[in-house]
Amino acid sequence: MERGKWHRGAGTHIRVRGGGEIAQLAEAFNEMTATLASQREQLVQTERVAAWRELARRLAHELRNPLFPCRSP
């Protein structure tokens, strides 16, 4: 399992057979990896939004305060 790949296609899902402690452990592992995948997706989305906000903030600043002021001849 590679670092950061928390989805079912990456080999992080364990098939649960029967019952007992091992089955409970496998179910807990599957729930944990599903939760991590969901949280990672939310984090990526949050980071995207933050990046766009930062870009908009810098653009607005440059529009209000240009590096080289426009001068009328």
Side-chain angles (χ1 to χ4, degrees):
M1 166 174 23
E2 292 181 40
R3 181 179 173 187
K5 294 194 175 185
W6 295 105
H7 54 83
R8 289 183 185 242
T12 56
H13 181 78
I14 298 174
R15 279 189 258 161
V16 180
R17 297 183 201 144
E21 292 179 8
I22 300 297
Q24 289 176 349
L25 181 62
E27 288 174 1
F29 179 82
N30 290 337
E31 288 177 25
M32 179 193 68
T33 56
T35 301
L36 285 172
S38 174
Q39 290 174 349
R40 184 173 189 272
E41 202 53 46
Q42 289 174 353
L43 178 62
V44 167
Q45 182 64 24
T46 301
E47 288 174 341
R48 259 189 221 124
V49 170
W52 278 109
R53 283 186 181 155
E54 178 65 17
L55 179 68
R57 185 189 68 77
R58 288 183 183 197
L59 179 61
H61 174 79
E62 288 302 322
L63 290 174
R64 286 189 303 260
N65 308 301
L67 190 57
F68 299 103
C70 297
R71 295 182 187 180
S72 299

